Amino acid sequence: MKYFKVNDKKASEIIAGCMRYDSFSEDDIDRHVKLALDNGINFFDHADIYGKGKSQEVFGKFLSKNTNLRDSMIIQSKCGITDGRYDFSKEHIIESVEKSLKDLKTDYLDVLLLHRPDLLMDVEEVNKAFNKLKEEGKVLSFGVSNFNSKRIELLQKGLDEKLEYNQLQFSPVHTPMLDHIILTNTKFEGSSDFDGEVFDYCMLNDIKLQAWSPFQYGFIEDTYIGNDKYKKLNEKLEELSEKYKVSVNAIVIAWIMRLPYKIKPVVGTTNTNRLVEMTRGVDVDLTRKEWYDIYTSAGIA
């Protein structure tokens, strides 16, 4: 495993996505989390809405029985989505964090992300919420999810705390933030910039990128791995899987991490064997040709 710094703590470059933890029994969560830790994954991504809160509760039960593990973990949660709408009010942000802390059985979050943009956002209210949470030691660092560059800049202008993270959907079959770069000054479909060159913006402003849904197509419709809709892509992944003696899932991880943006994949698998396989992708160094072969085999450019 490779690591980077989060609040002066060592954090794994692969992040365990906890969205489906609501399906786990106590034995399941115990086995899954300990296996993740044994394989170097110590960064866990939550949200207040995952499993309608149950995913955090299940994880909290694990933590309450394994309190000695908390200091070696990075725990991230997200807030701002409520009943299909969005709420960045000071009251909602603070209430959401308080509930997450209670459910997770922890005194603090290492990272808090605002889940999706709120069109009614009052930056001053967000700033007050962040300052209060930071002063009370309940959140150590902050970021956003699904924000474009201008929205980040607008929010950052009114904050005392630096926005350090942006979590975006990204995979070989979801690459709009790359397509318009490679298709600049053409009339081809995909040449339009819809996100304010968010990858470049985050790199320029030292905002760490995270990739959600790295193995799904559409809006979490289904996996593209082994899917006939993506025959050429799967053939290329299988070819490289054989070459590097790792799973196709590990090849996808290697592809994401080959980019200079230092993207951290958020993997939401509940399959323990698949989770272990994915960690091997960290050590695979794809050639430039192999990276572009995967990109083009998905039918992107």
Side-chain angles (χ1 to χ4, degrees), residues 15-252:
I15 302 170
C18 305
M19 184 172 71
R20 299 181 179 87
Y21 280 17
D22 61 309
S23 66
F24 279 164
S25 66
E26 290 190 28
D27 287 343
D28 289 336
I29 192 73
D30 187 80
R31 179 169 56 253
H32 193 82
V33 174
K34 286 183 177 177
L35 187 69
L37 293 169
D38 287 345
N39 283 274
I41 298 176
N42 71 334
F43 198 148
F44 297 88
D45 173 67
H46 291 271
D48 56 359
I49 63 166
Y50 289 168
K52 296 182 178 179
K54 188 179 177 184
S55 294
Q56 292 193 145
E57 291 176 9
V58 171
F59 195 87
K61 289 179 180 177
F62 170 85
L63 268 187
S64 66
K65 294 187 295 184
N66 297 273
T67 55
N68 62 306
L69 296 177
R70 175 62 184 99
D71 288 343
S72 63
M73 290 179 171
I74 305 296
I75 297 181
Q76 169 176 281
S77 193
K78 300 184 284 294
C79 73
I81 299 178
T82 172
D83 298 327
R85 291 174 173 80
Y86 310 100
D87 188 347
F88 286 1
S89 66
K90 175 185 175 184
E91 290 75 20
H92 180 74
I93 293 172
I94 291 172
E95 287 174 8
S96 175
V97 170
E98 295 283 7
K99 188 174 188 308
S100 290
L101 295 177
K102 179 181 177 182
D103 290 345
L104 289 164
K105 301 293 189 294
T106 184
D107 295 328
Y108 67 97
L109 296 175
D110 296 277
V111 181
L112 174 69
L113 306 182
L114 297 179
H115 207 157
R116 279 192 176 273
D118 174 14
L119 295 177
L120 302 179
M121 175 179 70
D122 182 328
V123 176
E124 187 176 343
E125 284 205 29
V126 177
N127 189 48
K128 288 178 180 178
F130 282 9
N131 286 347
K132 179 176 172 61
L133 293 167
K134 184 67 176 285
E135 288 166 6
E136 294 177 350
K138 293 176 179 177
V139 177
L140 304 185
S141 58
F142 301 88
V144 294
S145 179
N146 305 300
F147 273 49
N148 65 26
S149 57
K150 287 298 182 185
R151 201 67 180 171
I152 296 172
E153 194 167 345
L154 174 66
L155 178 57
Q156 183 65 80
K157 185 176 180 180
L159 295 180
D160 297 319
E161 292 294 321
K162 184 183 185 323
L163 294 171
E164 298 190 40
Y165 311 90
N166 190 13
Q167 188 179 113
L168 298 163
Q169 183 177 7
F170 182 67
S171 74
V173 302
H174 186 88
T175 56
M177 58 285 287
L178 298 181
D179 302 343
H180 77 268
I181 297 174
I182 199 169
L183 295 172
T184 294
N185 200 33
T186 74
K187 292 184 178 181
F188 295 121
E189 184 179 356
S191 63
S192 297
D193 172 16
F194 293 105
D195 63 15
E197 299 192 359
V198 66
F199 274 14
D200 287 351
Y201 178 86
C202 288
M203 189 175 187
L204 284 166
N205 289 277
D206 298 319
I207 297 171
K208 303 174 187 70
L209 286 161
Q210 301 174 6
W212 64 266
S213 200
F215 296 98
Q216 303 273 320
Y217 69 86
F219 191 74
I220 322 180
E221 292 174 33
D222 197 0
T223 181
Y224 56 84
I225 300 294
N227 192 316
D228 289 340
K229 291 182 179 180
Y230 299 95
K231 186 176 180 181
K232 286 181 65 177
L233 172 60
N234 278 286
E235 287 174 353
K236 179 55 62 176
L237 293 174
E238 289 285 356
E239 175 191 322
L240 294 173
S241 170
E242 291 180 14
K243 174 183 175 180
Y244 287 101
K245 303 295 189 292
V246 296
S247 71
V248 293
N249 295 295
I251 295 297
V252 171

